[in-house]
């Protein structure tokens, strides 16, 4: 059974007066009209309560927060205050989708029942039933998450209209918690290659339309950055949550392998695959884990590793002073490729040091740096060839059944078709490589999986243990987001990012915005730790986030009128 936490509302100020439309009791149990009647007496009492400190008019006004900076906690406060409904919240996000699509080209399918579902959940709330803190909260999914009532395409035109038999486990847990699917969003085709699909083409970075939002969870990255919803889900096999998180200037988590179920997510390589949340705040990452992490899923054996290692409440670790005394390893192996990225990361390190962190420069062993790509591909390509066939076998008749079918269909699209399908030459090249991959009984594959991954995992653990590190930090992408279609220069660094060490080891990696280049492009910093260290990483990331405040409204998705939440 999924774990649903009771809704808790924390108040840092005395918010006892609400807007005239509010009908719920204030924190003193008084209706607004009663509060206005007794306000002079309460002000006088405030001189006595709280060590003779006078409550200021600002503290007595209803709190206001913009939609772009509101957390799920803010939404729940507004729900409780009666100043917001789920129907209104969904309407605000749908208005943003209408305003910025198809320019950003992030959305594959809108949920036509989103408003109806919101109204139903509002009725539940009014009757006294609140399922979880995600009750009535909109969410977007990368279009490789199965949804029983909406198509799941993997971004491949050959799966257009495919309705899977049931929800992915993560999807089902979020629905049970009261989350509302607002849209299925673009993905690199079958979660690999550039940030485009043959189904709808290229997605665009809302901070700069000529820049990549990165892949493969690029549609989710764009949707969260442009705040089409407060919560989105992507998948990560070699950096596919973390690249889009940094390129779009948002927060993202690649969880420990086995913390979240992958059942019902189209596989790329199950040795590495994991689903994970993408948001505009560390708090929203934590609150989402309270719903999606839980008891092992019988449909995903990897989740057995999480037994006894799932936190009761991930938000409990979010403290602003968490960096004080923390030992942070600085992986400079992954710097030196873009001077503005390096300057921004150095500034981030200075913030951590000012918060009391102890910074320790570390070096990755040369053998680890040299084997990254070959080991990854030795496992990734054979697994996709076998595992995509297993997934396709679950679909209705009329859809492709194996890698050979995918390759043949991909080769048919050499120009934009009358139906609007796009050629995807980068993914086509990968299909050709995957079609030639060895079977999963091949000795080289088995050796790579059995011994290679154990070597990486043990080496990374030793690196963390030997320096008594709480986390390792590095620039998630050592270069600013590339121009769409840009080809790397000859002789470019063969190891541009450290991201897939988290996949090779199975360890978690949290991305937090670190700042921007001089031309407004986002830069992210990774907090990488040992298996099931999400509570520690969230604590460190939250402390850094609160000290730095680097989230920004994208240039090409500005605020619309009326996007203010009050409570």
């Amino acid at each position: 059974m999924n774990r649903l936490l009771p809704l808790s509302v924390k108040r840092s100020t005395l918010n006892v007066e609400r807007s005239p439309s509010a009908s719920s009791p204030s924190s003193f149990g008084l209706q607004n009209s009663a509060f206005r009647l007794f306000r002079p007496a309460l002000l006088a009492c405030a001189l006595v309560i709280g060590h003779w400190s006078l409550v200021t008019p600002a503290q007595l006004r209803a709190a206001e927060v913009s939609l772009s900076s509101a957390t799920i906690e803010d939404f729940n406060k507004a729900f409780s205050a009666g100043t917001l409904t789920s129907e209104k919240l969904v309407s605000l996000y749908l208005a943003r989708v209408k305003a910025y699509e198809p320019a950003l080209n992030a959305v594959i399918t809108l949920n036509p029942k989103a408003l109806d579902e919101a109204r139903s959940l509002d009725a539940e709330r009014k009757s006294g039933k609140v399922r979880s803190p995600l009750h009535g909260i909109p969410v977007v999914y990368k279009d490789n998450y199965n949804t029983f009532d909406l198509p799941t395409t993997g971004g491949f035109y050959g799966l257009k209209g495919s309705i899977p038999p049931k929800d992915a486990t993560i999807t089902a847990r979020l629905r049970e918690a009261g989350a509302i699917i607002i849209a299925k969003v673009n993905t690199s085709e079958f979660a690999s290659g550039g940030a485009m699909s043959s189904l709808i083409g290229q997605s665009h970075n809302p901070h700069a339309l000529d820049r990549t939002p990165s892949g493969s969870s690029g549609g989710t990255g764009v949707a969260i950055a442009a705040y089409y919803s407060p919560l989105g889900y992507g998948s990560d096999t070699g950096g596919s949550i973390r690249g889009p998180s940094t390129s779009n200037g948002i927060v993202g988590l690649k969880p420990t392998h086995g913390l979240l179920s992958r059942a019902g997510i189209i596989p790329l390589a199950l040795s590495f695959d994991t689903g994970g949340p993408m948001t505009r705040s560390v708090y929203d990452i934590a609150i989402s884990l309270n719903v999606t992490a839980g008891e092992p899923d019988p449909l995903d054996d990897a989740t057995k590793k999480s037994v006894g290692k799932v936190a009761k409440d991930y938000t409990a670790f979010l403290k602003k002073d968490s960096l004080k005394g923390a030992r942070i390893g600085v992986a400079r192996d992954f710097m030196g490729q873009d001077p503005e990225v390096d300057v921004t990361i150095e500034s981030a390190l200075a913030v951590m040091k000012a918060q009391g962190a102890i910074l320790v420069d570390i070096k990755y062993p040369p053998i680890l740096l040299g084997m990254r790509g070959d080991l990854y591909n030795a496992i990734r390509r054979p697994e996709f060839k076998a595992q995509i066939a297993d997934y396709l076998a679950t679909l209705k008749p009329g859809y492709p059944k194996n890698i050979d079918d995918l390759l043949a269909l991909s080769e048919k699209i050499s120009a934009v078709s009358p139906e609007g399908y796009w050629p995807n030459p980068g993914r086509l090249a990968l299909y050709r490589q995957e079609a030639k991959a060895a079977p999963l009984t091949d000795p080289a594959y088995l050796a790579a999986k059995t011994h290679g991954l154990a070597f990486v995992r043990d080496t990374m653990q030793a690196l963390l243990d030997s320096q008594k590190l709480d986390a390792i930090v590095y620039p998630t992408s050592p270069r600013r987001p590339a121009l769409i279609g840009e080809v790397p220069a000859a002789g470019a660094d063969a190891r541009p990012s450290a991201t897939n060490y988290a996949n090779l080891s199975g360890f978690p990696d949290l991305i937090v915005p670190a700042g921007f280049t001089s031309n407004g492009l986002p830069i992210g910093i990774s907090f990488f730790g040992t298996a099931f260290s999400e509570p520690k990483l969230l604590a460190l990331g939250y402390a850094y986030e609160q000290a730095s405040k680097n989230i920004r409204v994208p240039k090409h998705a500005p605020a619309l009128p009326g996007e203010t939440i009050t409570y």
Side-chain angles (χ1 to χ4, degrees):
M1 179 66 66
N2 185 29
R3 209 168 18 83
L4 299 182
L5 295 179
L7 179 63
S8 64
V9 177
K10 303 175 183 177
R11 294 189 178 274
S12 58
T13 59
L14 186 61
N15 294 320
V16 294
E17 185 178 35
R18 305 236 175 81
S19 67
S21 63
S23 58
S24 63
S26 74
S27 59
F28 284 105
L30 299 174
Q31 297 291 342
N32 286 334
S33 58
F35 172 75
R36 286 192 291 271
L37 179 64
F38 293 107
R39 177 172 176 163
L42 288 172
L43 281 169
C45 291
L47 290 171
V48 178
I49 299 171
H51 306 288
W52 301 93
S53 61
L54 180 64
V55 178
T56 67
Q59 288 176 304
L60 290 168
R61 286 196 298 268
E64 291 188 354
V65 63
S66 66
L67 186 65
S68 65
S69 60
T71 66
I72 291 171
E73 184 178 37
D74 291 317
F75 295 137
N76 278 304
K77 289 178 179 179
F79 289 148
S80 296
T83 57
L84 181 68
T85 63
S86 179
E87 180 182 1
K88 174 62 175 177
L89 186 60
V90 170
S91 296
L92 288 172
Y93 286 123
L94 287 174
R96 294 192 62 77
V97 174
K98 183 178 180 180
Y100 301 120
E101 291 293 310
L104 298 180
N105 205 36
V107 173
I108 289 180
T109 304
L110 274 176
N111 179 10
K113 298 180 180 179
L115 284 171
D116 290 338
E117 292 171 14
R119 294 182 191 106
S120 177
L121 287 160
D122 283 335
E124 283 190 16
R125 184 182 296 276
K126 190 173 181 179
S127 72
K129 178 180 179 181
V130 179
R131 302 186 189 188
S132 83
L134 297 187
H135 186 108
I137 299 295
V139 60
V140 298
Y141 292 92
K142 182 177 182 177
D143 202 21
N144 62 348
Y145 279 72
N146 276 359
T147 44
F148 76 87
D149 52 353
L150 295 168
T152 299
T153 70
F156 183 56
Y157 85 96
L159 291 188
K160 183 177 181 179
S162 175
I163 304 287
K166 63 180 181 178
D167 279 342
T169 296
I170 286 178
T171 314
R173 287 183 176 182
L174 286 163
R175 280 199 213 253
E176 182 186 355
I180 301 167
I181 300 174
I182 196 168
K184 303 289 290 294
V185 293
N186 204 15
T187 169
S188 302
E189 197 167 313
F190 288 114
S192 189
M196 70 170 296
S197 68
S198 60
L199 189 59
I200 68 168
Q202 175 74 51
S203 292
H204 297 274
N205 193 314
H207 294 277
L209 297 180
D210 61 346
R211 298 280 172 165
T212 179
S214 296
S216 63
S217 306
T220 310
V222 172
I224 299 303
Y227 48 110
Y228 291 173
S229 74
L231 174 62
Y233 270 79
S235 63
D236 195 307
T237 306
S240 289
I241 285 172
R242 291 159 291 155
S245 293
T246 192
S247 290
N248 292 284
I250 62 171
V251 183
L253 175 69
K254 180 268 170 195
T256 302
H257 192 266
L259 180 66
L260 303 184
S261 173
R262 292 89 43 83
I265 301 175
I266 299 176
L268 178 57
L270 290 174
S271 289
F272 305 137
D273 289 349
T274 182
M278 300 165 72
T279 69
R280 295 176 64 83
S281 70
V282 175
Y283 176 87
D284 287 354
I285 294 285
I287 202 72
S288 70
L289 288 182
N290 287 348
V291 167
T292 53
E295 294 182 7
D297 181 4
L299 300 177
D300 183 0
D301 285 344
T303 57
K304 293 176 182 177
K305 295 184 289 186
S306 71
V307 174
K309 297 174 182 176
V310 178
K312 182 179 180 180
D313 178 8
Y314 285 92
T315 67
F317 301 94
L318 306 184
K319 297 179 174 60
K320 292 183 179 181
D321 63 352
S322 296
L323 281 164
K324 187 176 182 179
R327 289 180 60 83
I328 306 294
V330 182
R332 297 188 182 277
D333 291 297
F334 308 101
M335 297 174 68
Q337 300 175 47
D338 185 323
E340 290 199 28
V341 171
D342 292 350
V343 167
T344 302
I345 296 300
E346 293 292 356
S347 296
L349 296 174
V351 169
M352 293 181 206
K353 189 173 182 179
Q355 295 295 309
I358 301 165
L359 304 181
V360 182
D361 281 358
I362 61 169
K363 299 287 289 183
Y364 280 38
I367 188 172
L368 200 64
L369 297 174
M371 70 188 300
R372 178 186 70 93
D374 289 341
L375 177 60
Y376 178 79
N377 287 326
I379 297 169
R380 213 281 286 155
R381 291 173 184 170
E383 289 197 355
F384 180 74
K385 180 179 181 179
Q387 292 162 2
I388 193 61
D390 293 339
Y391 175 82
L392 294 172
T394 69
L395 304 183
K396 297 175 182 177
Y399 292 103
K401 293 301 180 186
N402 52 45
I403 186 66
D404 293 329
D405 290 349
L406 301 183
L407 176 57
L409 286 168
S410 185
E411 287 178 331
K412 288 183 177 181
I413 306 295
S414 57
V416 179
S417 74
E419 302 90 346
Y421 305 145
W422 288 74
N424 195 349
R427 192 61 183 92
L428 174 58
L430 290 174
Y431 287 137
R432 289 169 174 160
Q433 294 168 346
E434 291 154 352
K436 297 175 182 177
L440 299 188
T441 55
D442 182 72
Y445 162 77
L446 293 172
K449 181 177 178 180
T450 303
H451 303 295
L453 296 187
F455 175 79
V456 174
R457 184 171 57 252
D458 292 346
T459 302
M460 295 305 304
Q461 187 66 57
L463 188 59
L464 287 154
D465 290 346
S466 64
Q467 297 290 341
K468 297 181 172 59
L469 300 176
D470 293 291
I472 294 171
V473 297
Y474 63 92
T476 313
S477 298
R479 301 187 184 101
R480 70 193 70 195
L483 289 164
I484 291 172
E486 180 179 2
V487 178
D493 196 320
R495 48 179 175 83
S497 173
T499 52
N500 75 1
Y501 289 110
N503 303 97
L504 293 167
S505 64
F507 292 174
D509 199 2
L510 173 71
I511 286 65
V512 181
F516 293 81
T517 64
S518 57
N519 59 342
L521 299 176
I523 298 166
I525 189 165
S526 280
F527 291 80
F528 170 84
T530 191
F532 299 102
S533 64
E534 281 83 357
K536 173 64 71 174
L537 298 186
L538 290 167
L540 298 174
Y542 178 79
Y544 171 71
E545 172 195 59
Q546 295 302 303
S548 58
K549 301 287 187 182
N550 287 317
I551 202 77
R552 182 180 292 184
V553 175
K555 176 181 177 181
H556 297 284
L560 298 175
E563 292 184 344
T564 301
I565 306 300
T566 62
Y567 52 85

